[in-house]
């Protein structure tokens, strides 16, 4: 059973930075992905950034965060990070870490193909 634990959320002013961490336990895929998703109140869960975790390389970003957010992994520590810079009020959301398989050699940005999820960490950006 995959277990995911997020940390690093908090409250910052616009323009600030935060780094989220996701510790991945009992990873089950020989080739697979870890992704960061977010969900604001009243909105659907959306993909923010995903990365190949095992069996290859590749990172993917939503257009709304490209150039501001960076996803990285440290397999020795079983941890995936999301460095968030130049934060905007519209980045306010609950951020979730998720694990899933590759889709046609890529890591998808849709939430549905990811079967394993963490509990989330809140990010609040004030103007």
């Amino acid at each position: 059973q995959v277990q995911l634990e997020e940390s690093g959320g908090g409250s910052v002013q616009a323009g600030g930075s935060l780094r989220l961490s996701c510790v991945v336990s009992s990873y089950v895929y020989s080739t697979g992905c870890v992704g960061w998703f977010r969900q604001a109140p009243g909105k659907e869960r959306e993909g923010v950034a995903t990365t190949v975790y095992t069996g290859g390389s590749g990172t993917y970003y939503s257009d709304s965060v490209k150039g501001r957010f960076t996803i990285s992994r440290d397999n020795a520590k079983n941890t995936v990070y999301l460095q968030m810079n130049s934060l905007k009020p519209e980045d306010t959301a609950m951020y979730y870490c998720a694990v899933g398989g590759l889709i046609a050699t890529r890591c998808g940005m849709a939430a549905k193909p990811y079967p394993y999820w963490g509990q989330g960490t809140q990010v609040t950006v004030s103007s």
Side-chain angles (χ1 to χ4, degrees):
Q1 181 70 20
V2 177
Q3 292 184 324
L4 306 169
E5 184 172 358
E6 305 99 332
S7 62
S11 297
V12 296
Q13 290 190 328
S17 299
L18 284 172
R19 188 176 80 157
L20 306 183
S21 299
C22 172
V23 177
V24 182
S25 302
S26 304
Y27 195 79
V28 297
Y29 296 94
S30 58
T31 57
C33 306
V34 176
W36 284 99
F37 296 78
R38 67 187 181 187
Q39 188 166 20
K43 294 188 177 181
E44 292 189 356
R45 193 168 295 189
E46 64 172 349
V48 173
T50 60
T51 183
V52 176
Y53 190 66
T54 55
S57 62
T59 56
Y60 310 90
Y61 297 92
S62 68
D63 288 341
S64 62
V65 307
K66 200 172 294 183
R68 300 188 297 123
F69 292 9
T70 303
I71 189 170
S72 62
R73 68 186 197 197
D74 185 338
N75 291 72
K77 295 183 178 180
N78 298 325
T79 302
V80 175
Y81 303 97
L82 184 68
Q83 178 66 45
M84 305 186 296
N85 298 329
S86 302
L87 283 161
K88 304 176 181 179
E90 51 263 44
D91 294 318
T92 295
M94 185 71 79
Y95 283 70
Y96 298 90
C97 177
V99 165
L102 286 167
I103 300 175
T105 76
R106 294 174 60 88
C107 293
M109 296 294 285
K112 191 172 181 179
Y114 289 78
Y116 303 101
W117 292 83
Q119 294 299 308
T121 185
Q122 177 68 37
V123 172
T124 302
V125 185
S126 58
S127 57

